[in-house]
Amino acid sequence: MTGQAAELRFGYGTNGFANHRLDDALAVLADLGYRGVALTLDHDHLDPFTPDLPRRVAAVQRRLAALGLAVVVETGARYLLDPWHKHAPTLLHDDPALRVEFLRRAVRIGADLGAEAVSFWAGVRPPEVPGSVAWERLVAGCATVCAEAEAAGVPLGFEPEPGMLVEDIAGWRRLRDALGAPSGFGITLDIGHCRCLEPDPVPDCVAAVADHLVNVQIDDMRRGVHEHLEFGTGEIDFPPVLRALADAGYRGLVAVELPRHSHAAPAVAARSLDFLRIAAKGGG
């Protein structure tokens, strides 16, 4: 992914517009000046299990095209698969079949939408599942998703997530090696997560994975606390981070990830874009 410095394209995650109809959320983001969206497949935002899925996907694709929005597909919906248990089942559970089917559907939806990447993560290891067993399950599940993505021609961005079985860049590297380093198995880098737990400065994290970077989520965060914060309320110095992304030649979306700010989504999205534009010019 390294190369000539790139102009960054800012997007916004639809999980931060949970109280909006998807069509309305897309229109607001386009009107604000965002270049794309990170679309979390969920009950009210393109449910991957709806009976009329092909029609709905086609309608969303037309809407994105009409608004000039690029898209990445995110798969972190909290209660889509199990109304009682957040994110369950994951690839680590005794029966991961529903998660595997969801991820395969996400890949196919991504292909139909022309998505730049489909992003997913490992999940939290269930306490009753030994670490070695959880790792074997993760590798097997990822291999299945990789095969689906290769057939569909869709890049995968695997996201290290604090508290999950793969929570950092080192864990992502180990997983990629276990899969045989497939070319389509990239990384989704959450800038806030880097500040939360990576040992290196955030710009160095960007540079370290630049060749494999297919998706970027951006938010503020504090060291050791996994809480997605509005820009300027955490500890990250953003101009050097954005400069590192541009210098790496990254051309994918840089999408704001504020999943707990839906109550004030339009205002938060407007403030976020203003902040990022200033930071990209070296201010902030």
Side-chain angles (χ1 to χ4, degrees):
M1 192 68 67
T2 55
Q4 185 177 359
E7 178 188 357
L8 299 179
R9 296 182 301 136
F10 297 121
Y12 202 94
T14 60
N15 61 358
F17 270 76
N19 300 321
H20 283 68
R21 299 179 185 89
L22 180 57
D23 283 1
D24 291 341
L26 298 180
V28 170
L29 292 171
D31 286 346
L32 287 173
Y34 281 95
R35 302 278 297 280
V37 295
L39 172 57
T40 296
L41 305 179
D42 208 343
H43 300 288
D44 295 326
H45 287 177
L46 194 52
D47 184 345
F49 296 98
T50 188
D52 62 344
L53 182 61
R55 181 197 64 79
R56 183 64 179 135
V57 170
V60 172
Q61 191 279 328
R62 290 192 299 270
R63 184 70 165 155
L64 290 167
L67 293 170
L69 293 171
V71 63
V72 297
V73 171
E74 298 281 353
T75 58
R78 293 185 177 96
Y79 292 98
L80 177 67
L81 306 183
D82 184 333
W84 289 94
H85 303 101
K86 179 183 175 182
H87 292 157
T90 70
L91 295 174
L92 315 179
H93 281 81
D94 290 342
D95 185 2
L98 188 56
R99 172 65 56 174
V100 172
E101 174 60 21
F102 170 42
L103 293 176
R104 293 180 68 186
R105 287 179 180 231
V107 166
R108 296 194 292 269
I109 290 169
D112 290 340
L113 291 178
E116 298 180 1
V118 171
S119 183
F120 70 115
W121 36 239
V124 176
R125 179 178 64 85
E128 70 277 8
V129 177
S132 59
V133 173
W135 181 258
E136 291 172 1
R137 290 175 177 176
L138 177 61
V139 173
C142 286
T144 299
V145 180
C146 282
E148 189 79 29
E150 182 179 3
V154 177
L156 293 174
F158 188 94
E159 181 188 2
E161 179 89 15
M164 293 192 176
L165 187 64
V166 174
E167 66 175 1
D168 54 20
I169 291 171
W172 171 81
R173 293 191 188 281
R174 179 187 174 210
L175 178 58
R176 182 173 179 270
D177 289 344
L179 291 166
S183 59
F185 189 77
I187 188 169
T188 290
L189 192 68
D190 187 303
I191 298 303
H193 295 171
C194 294
R195 176 58 187 161
C196 179
L197 53 69
E198 293 288 351
D200 297 325
V202 180
D204 292 353
C205 294
V206 171
V209 299
D211 288 341
H212 306 286
L213 196 56
V214 298
N215 185 31
V216 171
Q217 300 168 353
I218 193 163
D219 45 80
D220 213 341
M221 208 167 283
R222 300 186 180 97
R223 188 72 177 168
V225 182
H226 185 201
E227 181 183 2
H228 293 245
L229 303 173
E230 279 198 67
F231 301 118
T233 65
E235 299 172 343
I236 298 175
D237 182 16
F238 283 95
V241 174
L242 298 178
R243 186 162 57 248
L245 286 167
D247 289 348
Y250 175 67
R251 288 175 169 78
L253 286 177
V254 180
V256 179
E257 176 80 355
L258 291 173
R260 297 182 179 178
H261 290 70
S262 292
H263 64 283
V268 172
R271 288 197 297 267
S272 298
L273 187 56
D274 288 344
F275 181 97
L276 289 171
R277 284 173 168 167
I278 293 170
K281 295 177 181 178

